[in-house]
Amino acid sequence: MRLLASLYEDADLPDAVVTPSGSLSRHALLEEASRVADRIEGAPIIAVEATPDLPTVVAVTGALLAGVPIVPIPPDAGDLEREHILRDSGAAGLLSGGHLAELPVARKPLNAALVLYTSGTTGAPKGVVISPGAIAADLDALAAAWQWTAGDTLVHGLPLYHVHGLVLGVLGPLRLGCRLIHTGRPTPQAYATNPGSMYFGVPTVWSRIAGDPAAARALAPARLLVSGSAPLPVPVFDDLAALTGRAPVERYGMTETLITVSARADGERRAGHVGRPLPGVTTRLVDESGAPLPSDGETIGHLQVRGPTLLDGYLSPGGVRPPELTGGWFPTGDVATVGPDGWHRIVGRASTDLIKTGGYRVGAGEVEDTLLLHPAVREAAVVGMPHPDLGEQITAFVVAGPVAPADLIDFVAGRLAVHKRPRAVHLVDSLPRNAMGKVQKSLLLAD
Ligand code: MLC
Ligand code: AMP
């Protein structure tokens, strides 16, 4: 079955994709996307300016029709991040608002659907290469778990350059044939005023909705409120359940594996837990040496996943570098418990250098490297401080000459995607270091 199966159905669907600036029927989307496909046919890879709007949906659909891999660019990406993604991906062109700009760089043809740039603990973001088969397997597994059908209307306002908003939030509806209402931004007001049967959000979105009881109550008619991309605080789970009469469905995943674990539409929803593996996915816990640990609901271990939704690899100058798997197992970098009943609880991340803020993954190293480009900055250490709204708040400790914290925040916001800016900068005389000279981030987190 083709990835965007619903587009090939004879029946038109009015308002198949609705956005604040306009909507398209299924046939109109196919027509517009086919025009894009004709223009980019044969390109090895194409960048898309991923504004949360119709032109992005048309561009992504067109590229998939043409079999051309897409690299989405965060629309607010600063020059450093934008240039890195365009250069590293070797994109042959940039589709932006319906226009195609040709780019000088290009690479060998690549057999993939998406290349999503995502942060590691150090260095610049890497391009994760995702196949059409992995996406199809993931969407079909989610359709089964959530009883997600053509009869649904999905509402969300998530960004269109990550797995959550793009793969689940756009390719999901286009594969399964359900309506999509994209609200532009994921505000409580926008969710409350757009009726749907399913809503997607990151915990920050759900926390803001739970903090606006009238907006939360407006979601009561929905079938499914789905939370993912970061831990959903138990009080937010409880408030949503009380206000909407429906406990949220939590699911867990990452760019490299797509969504792998979820609660079921027709099953239990358990606060603080993300459910059981999707059909076709298996998981296990291992210790530091890689030895398997028991699924007793108490033992905490490193979570590994195996299945058809895994990445093909990381984009490299020569092609695609396969991930380092042990017997097919992908190390998620998350620390979890698994109960005898298969329910997973994500305890945290193994590294303090991967921050989750507002559902966005941000590598401390990338922010530190950017701060160090500022002429006044001599040393920088970045951590994710616990934060009631964002989950974690990017916080920088900086040794610098005379400079205002606000200037350093703007400096990062202008070079990377805006959400990677520190929200707090503390100017300090020195950073706590151990005998080896390594910054002791646990001491900064304890401040
Ligand atoms: C603020 N702004 C600045 C600025 N400070 N601009 C320039 N310089 C500065 N110093 C502007 C921003 O550009 C933006 O403008 C506005 O201020 C608000 O930005 P913000 O403060 O960052 O928004 P915030 O309210 O914090 O956003 C919360 C949020 C957002 C929840 C809406 O974090 C979000 O969309 N998160 C979703 C992340 C996500 O989709 N993750 C999925 C990853 S996939 P303007 O113009 O925009 O108003 C994954 C796999 C899985 O994890 O399991 O799903
Ligand atoms: P990303 O690569 O942006 O897709 O981020 C993936 C990471 O988000 C995972 O490794 C987890 O740390 C985190 N994550 C995703 N979903 C959940 C969830 N439901 N609960 C807790 N953490 C989550």
Side-chain angles (χ1 to χ4, degrees):
M1 185 164 71
R2 287 153 153 167
L3 179 56
L4 304 184
S6 80
L7 291 182
Y8 300 94
E9 282 169 24
D10 288 339
D12 199 5
L13 177 70
D15 294 333
V17 181
V18 178
T19 72
S21 65
S23 59
L24 285 176
S25 73
R26 174 184 291 157
H27 285 173
L29 172 60
L30 184 58
E31 212 174 284
E32 287 204 19
S34 301
R35 278 201 288 272
V36 171
D38 289 344
R39 283 159 73 196
I40 61 171
E41 191 90 59
I45 179 167
I46 196 95
V48 172
E49 186 82 28
T51 51
D53 212 342
L54 271 185
T56 302
V57 176
V58 171
V60 165
T61 306
L64 288 172
L65 292 179
V68 174
I70 300 143
V71 57
I73 312 282
D76 67 350
D79 47 9
L80 207 61
E81 182 158 352
R82 179 175 294 268
E83 279 163 24
H84 167 68
I85 297 176
L86 289 175
R87 193 174 353 96
D88 189 80
S89 67
L94 172 65
L95 280 166
S96 171
H99 303 286
L100 175 64
E102 302 213 3
L103 297 172
V105 274
R107 59 167 54 238
K108 284 196 301 225
L110 185 70
N111 187 12
L114 291 177
V115 178
L116 298 184
Y117 273 78
T118 196
S119 301
T121 51
T122 58
K126 284 183 292 190
V128 174
V129 179
I130 302 172
S131 69
I135 295 172
D138 206 49
L139 293 173
D140 292 350
L142 288 171
W146 297 345
Q147 302 178 349
W148 183 3
T149 69
D152 279 302
T153 296
L154 171 66
V155 179
H156 74 89
L158 295 167
L160 299 187
Y161 46 92
H162 283 310
V163 164
H164 199 162
L166 182 60
V167 176
L168 275 62
V170 172
L171 304 186
L174 297 183
R175 180 168 180 80
L176 302 170
C178 86
R179 281 204 174 83
L180 165 64
I181 301 179
H182 195 284
T183 62
R185 289 190 67 97
T187 60
Q189 183 64 14
Y191 278 37
T193 51
N194 282 288
S197 61
M198 299 170 72
Y199 290 78
F200 287 172
V202 296
T204 302
V205 168
W206 290 121
S207 158
R208 292 177 185 183
I209 290 172
D212 182 342
R217 283 194 203 99
L219 306 186
R223 191 173 72 74
L224 228 52
L225 309 179
V226 185
S227 178
S229 306
L232 184 68
V234 172
V236 176
F237 178 103
D238 290 341
D239 288 351
L240 276 179
L243 289 164
T244 66
R246 227 170 281 289
V249 162
E250 289 182 69
R251 94 294 178 288
Y252 159 86
M254 64 190 302
T255 308
E256 291 88 337
T257 66
L258 304 181
I259 308 309
T260 49
V261 179
S262 181
R264 305 292 190 274
D266 61 354
E268 193 192 344
R269 291 141 204 208
R270 211 181 280 176
H273 293 72
V274 295
R276 285 179 291 154
L278 291 174
V281 173
T282 43
T283 65
R284 68 173 190 179
L285 296 178
V286 298
D287 67 15
E288 296 292 335
S289 71
L293 291 169
S295 298
D296 56 12
E298 286 173 14
T299 306
I300 295 175
H302 296 271
L303 182 64
Q304 300 190 329
V305 303
R306 196 164 68 172
T309 65
L310 263 48
L311 74 167
D312 279 359
Y314 299 96
L315 207 57
S316 73
V320 179
R321 179 170 54 79
E324 283 174 27
L325 306 179
T326 319
W329 294 102
F330 181 85
T332 63
D334 290 304
V335 173
T337 66
V338 180
D341 56 3
W343 274 74
H344 288 51
R345 182 168 69 88
I346 307 299
V347 176
R349 289 203 60 91
S351 168
T352 52
D353 284 336
L354 270 192
I355 300 168
K356 263 277 160 161
T357 180
Y360 287 113
R361 167 170 153 188
V362 180
E366 189 187 5
V367 182
E368 288 160 0
D369 291 349
T370 307
L371 284 166
L372 287 168
L373 294 176
H374 191 284
V377 174
R378 289 195 294 273
E379 297 174 52
V382 167
V383 294
M385 287 286 189
H387 189 270
D389 177 50
L390 297 168
E392 292 179 330
Q393 174 184 261
I394 302 177
T395 303
F397 293 82
V398 172
V399 180
V403 64
D407 290 343
L408 293 181
I409 293 172
D410 288 347
F411 185 80
V412 176
R415 280 161 184 79
L416 305 179
V418 172
H419 65 261
K420 294 182 177 174
R421 74 190 185 280
R423 306 253 178 161
V425 172
H426 301 294
L427 297 171
V428 293
D429 291 336
S430 64
L431 296 174
R433 294 184 185 271
N434 65 14
M436 311 291 289
K438 190 172 173 337
V439 176
Q440 293 174 293
K441 294 203 171 174
S442 54
L443 295 180
L444 296 175
L445 282 163
D447 269 1

